[in-house]
Amino acid sequence: MGKKGRAAVMHKANTPLEIREYPLIEVERGHILVKIKCCTICGSDLHSWLGKRGTVTPIILGHEIVGEIVEMGEGVTHDSGDRPLKVGDRITWTIMDNCGKCYYCREKGLTMKCIHLKKYGHDSCASPPHFNGGFAEFCYITPGTCVIKIPENLSNEEAAPANCALATVMAGWEAAGLRPFENVLIQGGGALGIYAAALARHNGCHKIIVTDILEHRLEFVKGFGATDTINTKNLRDEEIVQAIVDLTGGFGVDAVLEVAGMPSLIPLGLKCLRKGGRLIVQGTAFSGAHFTYDASDIVFRWLTIRGVHNYDTRHLQWGINFLEQTRNIFPFHKIVTHNFPLHEINQAMQMAHSGEGIRIAVKPQKS
Ligand SMILES: [Zn+2]
């Protein structure tokens, strides 16, 4: 082809990303080449950039991607929902490519833990096809990826965070097994907390309590169904627990969703549960996230702690369905607060790190 594309490459954690060019290779059977329209910065991109988790290099970070089909390899005709695909269609896709045949894929239903797992924005970009992350002009989608055509009524900004933030929340939601009229505590008012609140409201939860230390996030999440918000910045743990107990008729919440990435929130969340309650840990996706807790409390009060990392393919489709169905109820279009062109990727990362916005979008081309 002889064509090239640009990508923002991280060579080492804690150093600026560098824009460089890679050649585009021929699109192979079962593959799709997309032009990236929008990629939002996820908390885990920041963790990798800041060296908080081991990351291979060189790497093109970014996995919350929306792309437009440029070319489809032989055999590609439909998306994972059997909707016909053509050049120019906008698509999103799972964060992972899984083999569908290994012990975890086939026998244990844990496709996100596939033995042959590949992940967009997580693998080395050193060898062709290079384009396997979101902070770039192009991306090659491999055959083991679940591809979903984006409904007409969803904008690129609305759809981009679906394949990580929203789909992950969907997986956590399923694990929590929350039912209508139950009470939930959401620890963290970032993008995941926002989606979790909207989902809780949509599913008829009674008390939807969100905690955070940033006031603008707590204000924002009220637009997504939070019934109560608590700024925990200057509160002691006992005061927080008391506030939760008071809001739930003296019992504590049915479930806690930890989506803040602070290990100290886990013991606190456990204390906020009613007897028989369950805590879903999702945010602390980096090593060294230790906590201590009195196990007798877990025994005596029938508590459940469950970890959820990434998601299964169905959760992404549910996420897209949810956005399509409720976009007139919840202001999802406001979740992307800032936009940056690809060549300003380092400013974009700084902005994401500052916590000033909610989701920061990087757009390689003028739309
Ligand atoms: Zn992510």
Side-chain angles (χ1 to χ4, degrees):
M1 228 189 295
K3 268 187 74 178
K4 286 180 176 179
R6 287 177 306 134
V9 178
M10 181 175 96
H11 293 281
K12 216 174 129 218
N14 282 309
T15 58
L17 308 185
E18 275 172 35
I19 302 291
R20 64 159 294 174
E21 279 193 334
Y22 286 116
L24 289 172
I25 63 160
E26 209 170 297
V27 182
E28 289 171 49
R29 184 180 169 80
H31 290 64
I32 302 174
L33 175 65
V34 299
K35 194 156 52 161
I36 292 174
K37 303 297 283 182
C38 178
C39 181
T40 42
I41 301 176
C42 171
S44 66
D45 292 317
L46 288 175
H47 289 157
S48 300
W49 188 50
L50 299 168
K52 274 178 88 175
R53 50 194 251 165
T55 304
V56 294
T57 51
I59 187 170
I60 303 169
L61 294 171
H63 50 267
E64 293 189 339
I65 321 170
V66 166
E68 185 184 292
I69 299 177
V70 175
E71 200 182 330
M72 299 190 293
E74 206 189 317
V76 179
T77 55
H78 290 72
D79 77 353
S80 303
D82 211 32
R83 291 162 288 247
L85 289 178
K86 60 177 189 317
V87 168
D89 280 347
R90 288 183 309 143
I91 56 172
T92 183
W93 55 93
T94 43
I95 190 169
M96 78 279 192
D97 171 301
N98 64 292
C99 77
K101 292 177 184 155
C102 73
Y103 175 74
Y104 283 118
C105 280
R106 196 160 56 186
E107 204 167 316
K108 297 298 167 191
L110 289 171
T111 55
M112 75 302 285
K113 295 295 156 188
C114 168
I115 290 171
H116 309 289
L117 188 73
K118 287 185 275 185
K119 276 170 82 176
Y120 297 91
H122 288 72
D123 296 332
S124 165
C125 64
S127 39
H130 308 292
F131 292 97
N132 58 2
F135 301 150
E137 284 184 291
F138 296 95
C139 191
Y140 283 94
I141 301 164
T142 48
T145 311
C146 161
V147 171
I148 295 176
K149 188 165 159 174
I150 295 172
E152 290 277 309
N153 70 347
L154 290 183
S155 70
N156 295 335
E157 285 92 339
E158 281 171 308
N163 92 330
C164 184
L166 178 53
T168 299
V169 166
M170 280 289 175
W173 180 263
E174 190 181 30
L178 274 157
R179 304 172 65 86
F181 313 117
E182 284 199 314
N183 301 314
V184 59
L185 166 63
I186 299 163
Q187 295 175 307
L192 276 79
I194 287 165
Y195 288 125
L199 207 48
R201 170 57 68 96
H202 184 64
N203 282 275
C205 283
H206 180 52
K207 289 286 181 184
I208 303 164
I209 309 161
V210 182
T211 56
D212 203 295
I213 53 169
L214 296 172
E215 199 55 39
H216 75 271
R217 294 196 163 193
L218 293 171
E219 264 322 298
F220 192 72
V221 76
K222 287 178 188 163
F224 292 83
T227 58
D228 300 270
T229 58
I230 303 171
N231 190 329
T232 52
K233 194 170 181 189
N234 297 313
L235 296 181
R236 286 179 292 119
D237 279 9
E238 308 83 79
E239 294 174 304
I240 299 166
V241 174
Q242 192 58 50
I244 303 293
V245 165
D246 289 345
L247 282 168
T248 52
F251 292 104
V253 291
D254 298 282
V256 172
L257 306 176
E258 179 279 312
V259 287
M262 293 269 294
S264 61
L265 291 179
I266 296 168
L268 174 61
L270 288 169
K271 287 183 200 138
C272 293
L273 288 171
R274 66 155 167 88
K275 287 172 186 158
R278 54 273 181 202
L279 181 139
I280 309 300
V281 186
Q282 294 193 278
T284 39
F286 50 88
S287 57
H290 301 286
F291 68 94
T292 40
Y293 199 69
D294 181 348
S296 71
D297 189 55
I298 299 173
V299 174
F300 291 141
R301 296 205 300 125
W302 280 74
L303 304 183
T304 303
I305 308 176
R306 182 143 173 213
V308 171
H309 180 225
N310 294 148
Y311 56 88
D312 195 3
T313 51
R314 66 181 178 280
H315 300 118
L316 178 57
Q317 182 65 64
W318 295 353
I320 295 293
N321 294 352
F322 176 58
L323 291 176
E324 188 181 16
Q325 198 179 337
T326 63
R327 68 182 294 276
N328 294 325
I329 300 169
F330 305 113
F332 295 119
H333 64 278
K334 290 187 183 165
I335 289 180
V336 168
T337 49
H338 300 77
N339 279 282
F340 288 86
L342 183 62
H343 68 267
E344 288 176 16
I345 183 70
N346 291 299
Q347 289 95 307
M349 294 295 268
Q350 286 296 353
M351 175 59 82
H353 185 37
S354 76
E356 235 175 273
I358 303 289
R359 261 315 191 241
I360 313 303
V362 180
K363 289 181 179 168
Q365 6 229 340
K366 291 183 192 77
S367 40

